[in-house]
Amino acid sequence: MSRLYSIAPAAIFLRRSSSTSPPSLRAPGVVLDAATERVRSGTFSPEDARDLFDELLLQATPVPGHALNGFLAALARTTCSDGLSLAVALFSRMSRGHGPPVASPTVHTYGILLGFCCRARQPDLALAFFSRFLRAGLNANCLIVNTLLKALCQAKRTDEAADVLLHRMPHLGCEPDAISYNTVIKGLCDGSRSNRALELLRMMAKQEAGCSPDVVSYTTVIHGFLKEGEKPNVITFNSLIDGYCLVGKMQKASRVHDDMVSVGIEPGAITYGTLIDGYFKAGMVDAALTLFQEMSAC
């Protein structure tokens, strides 16, 4: 077992010292707050981790949730390679009764852990924490489910991610938002499944999903097609133009129109109609009239 997670006997002094007097136990919240400051300052070492475990394991008082969350969040922001292992070991030992219990881990606690796992590219561990979260009977929110979707996509389980997105999120107590869809769309595109991603984008555009696509939605899909070596067709370009128009990015919409023409795809009535409507809504009447004249001349 790594030195980082070895737990010294209870009789060992908690702070390395030559003193022979019994250790002075501090409240668990104070212990974790002090450790959090050491993590933030970059001076938290494996030896400090061992001492932290030793001191907490001698406590009978529950560890306050806010103190644990602060410590886990600080670890998550570090680049320490042992950070995730330490966070998992600490949380698991305390929540399984090996030492003082954690006072009611919250959705925030699990959200920190899931996000930490994703950033460390450990999606299976994130999924294990989500399973534990469900068993705890806590109510999910979009933030934690979106992290679950990211973990599933990292694990190349995009079909499961799409199923959670389309069918399970309402049963978990939250509705998908643009981030939910964009996460799955990116996962599909990363897996060379841009056609499936385009289907999700169309669902968003029709507002069947209850939220509208944004620029990220469209650019992810278009880049997915390009990465797969496929030449985007008129539907793909129209979808991208529509997305930019929806968020008022008319310069980008116009640039997509120009790119469309440059690769030999003829804009149709839908293309022109979308752009003209977008220009009017953006108050760019002159641009709308110029494009209308261009369309009439075709």
Side-chain angles (χ1 to χ4, degrees):
M1 180 178 293
S2 168
R3 181 186 179 189
L4 182 60
Y5 310 119
S6 61
I7 305 300
I12 293 181
F13 290 164
L14 303 180
R15 307 251 64 90
R16 292 184 296 277
S17 169
S18 59
S19 170
T20 58
S21 58
S24 175
L25 296 181
R26 300 175 294 171
V30 174
V31 175
L32 277 174
D33 287 344
T36 299
E37 290 305 314
R38 296 289 301 276
V39 171
R40 289 172 178 164
S41 66
T43 60
F44 194 77
S45 68
E47 290 76 14
D48 293 321
R50 183 194 62 194
D51 290 345
L52 173 66
F53 282 177
D54 289 346
E55 187 160 353
L56 288 175
L57 288 171
L58 290 177
Q59 300 284 348
T61 307
V63 175
H66 67 86
L68 177 62
N69 290 346
F71 179 69
L72 295 176
L75 277 177
R77 288 190 287 269
T78 70
T79 57
C80 174
S81 59
D82 290 322
L84 178 58
S85 298
L86 174 58
V88 172
L90 176 59
F91 181 79
S92 297
R93 285 182 180 278
M94 291 190 294
S95 59
R96 289 176 181 172
H98 301 293
V102 178
S104 301
T106 64
V107 176
H108 184 48
T109 309
Y110 282 100
I112 293 169
L113 290 168
L114 262 70
F116 201 169
C117 293
C118 286
R119 284 190 292 276
R121 310 297 295 184
Q122 296 289 338
D124 291 336
L125 187 57
L127 297 176
F129 270 118
F130 187 78
S131 176
R132 187 166 178 172
F133 165 82
L134 292 177
R135 291 197 302 270
L138 297 170
N139 294 322
N141 56 30
C142 251
L143 180 62
I144 197 167
V145 178
N146 288 346
T147 308
L148 168 68
L149 294 174
K150 183 176 181 180
L152 286 168
C153 291
Q154 282 186 346
K156 310 300 182 186
R157 294 161 62 175
T158 50
D159 284 332
E160 292 178 60
D163 179 66
V164 171
L165 173 73
L166 298 175
H167 305 297
R168 295 188 60 189
M169 283 190 72
H171 298 292
L172 291 171
C174 56
E175 294 293 333
D177 58 12
I179 295 176
S180 311
Y181 273 86
N182 289 344
T183 298
V184 179
I185 285 172
K186 184 179 186 304
L188 289 167
C189 290
D190 288 345
S192 300
R193 301 179 63 189
S194 297
N195 280 309
R196 174 67 173 129
L198 183 58
E199 292 176 13
L200 290 182
L201 187 147
R202 288 172 180 162
M203 290 180 63
M204 295 178 73
K206 293 177 181 177
Q207 298 200 355
E208 294 176 7
C211 59
S212 299
D214 55 20
V215 173
V216 174
S217 315
Y218 290 95
T219 53
T220 300
V221 171
I222 198 76
H223 289 159
F225 277 111
L226 293 173
K227 187 174 67 175
E228 292 173 38
E230 292 190 23
K231 179 180 177 180
N233 57 27
V234 65
I235 296 175
T236 308
F237 276 106
N238 284 346
S239 296
L240 186 58
I241 289 170
D242 183 54
Y244 283 130
C245 290
L246 283 172
V247 294
K249 303 287 186 180
M250 297 311 301
Q251 287 186 339
K252 291 187 177 181
S254 178
R255 191 177 306 140
V256 173
H257 167 263
D258 294 340
D259 291 342
M260 185 178 183
V261 174
S262 69
V263 297
I265 297 177
E266 190 68 28
I270 294 177
T271 310
Y272 283 110
T274 302
L275 280 167
I276 290 170
D277 182 62
Y279 280 129
F280 272 118
K281 287 180 178 177
M284 303 171 68
V285 178
D286 289 342
L289 293 175
T290 299
L291 193 61
F292 179 77
Q293 292 170 354
E294 178 185 322
M295 180 183 70
S296 301
C298 293

